[in-house]
Amino acid sequence: MSVSSEEILDRPARLGRRRPRGTTARFRAGYDARLAHAAGITLYESFEAAEPVWRDFETHAAGTAFQSFDWLSAWYRHVGRELGVTPAIAVVTRQGAPLMLAPLGIERRFGLSLLVWMGGRLADYKGPLLAPDFEARLDVEFATLWRQIRRALPRHDLVMLDSQPVSLGTPAAPFGNPFAALSASPAPDAAYVFDLPETFEEFSQRYRAETRRIDRSKFRKLEAEGEVSFRIAATPEERVAMTEEILARKAEQLAQQGISSIFEEENYLAAWRDLAGLPDERKLLEVAELRLDGAFLSGSVSHVWRGRSTLMVHTYDHETLPKLSPGRLHLLKHLQSSIDRGIDVYDLSVGYAAYKESFCDTPMEMRNAIAGASLAGHGAAAAIRAALAAKRLIKNDPRLMSLVQKARARLA
């Protein structure tokens, strides 16, 4: 008998037989723990306990930097703990070696216990880390494994797994995300990821000759205005200082549009500082600036992980030489630098912007998996799914999105 993705998300695991009824909470907990152990699942309730296996596994696992130990521990230290999130980090092993690490957590919201991916608004992509041979070593259907993991987790009312990319690989070498396959519900936004060629000249050929001519003309005009410099922060201290300035400018830019952001919240800023200040041997952030005679024109904060550069924050001075498109010139400089350093994939991250379509022909779908796990959770799940569907409708209708943007601007 076939089952829907909603049923897979909703129902607890049977693991071959039903749990005995009428037993004590202590007995039931021990029963579930024994079943989890038999299924090769270990649940870690703290970052400290999971750190050794996590750091070792991420060196070769498929996934994104948003699931790295340094990234999520910084988020938890400053944001997750304050939100009351309880780590529930599930590690699945086969033949004594990790097969998957799922950085899950239990969060109290809406008066309910939510099963979520850790990372919150600091993680554009959410999901697991997977062994390169995940599919070959997985000895059960993933839906069965997921039910086994659910059985091992603390009680929760609502499954709220959002912002899941359908692929954890690259456009040239896709690596399917099994969690995204649990639901067919697309997220409101897509992601813009594309492979980089060996040379910048080859990359520029994807544009029309007229576009290339205009870009070159703008570079020449900018250089005629004064000394132009594009630089990437070289030390942790520089990364912190440049990150703080770029985030402050981005927060001001968004506020003018009537959009509140994490760049205004001190706990998130503290997490950004920690990430920017990581030592060079564990560096995740790449911070770059385009300046004219020492004055700020444009800045970006990216992370580079396993040959993939992901642009998370990009802002520019709207008042200085706007006709020369300093934001686009900065992006072209960063792309050229990435290609020159042998980076294989460039990721403009999640969310539509017209300029992203000029670089990426085929956006990557994102998925949300929202489902109830209790009576109260079912009602909340239906409401959340409806709200997300409405958000997606608005974002995919230029007229509706324009009305929303104008309303925000008026409120601002």
Side-chain angles (χ1 to χ4, degrees), residues 200 203 215 219 328-336 359:
F200 184 71
F203 173 80
D215 286 337
F219 271 122
R328 177 176 172 82
L329 298 185
H330 172 102
L331 191 55
L332 290 172
K333 284 283 190 183
H334 194 250
L335 278 160
Q336 183 172 9
F359 293 101

Side-chain angles (χ1 to χ4, degrees), residues 81-92:
R81 184 181 284 118
E82 186 176 307
L83 292 174
V85 176
T86 301
I89 304 155
V91 176
V92 178

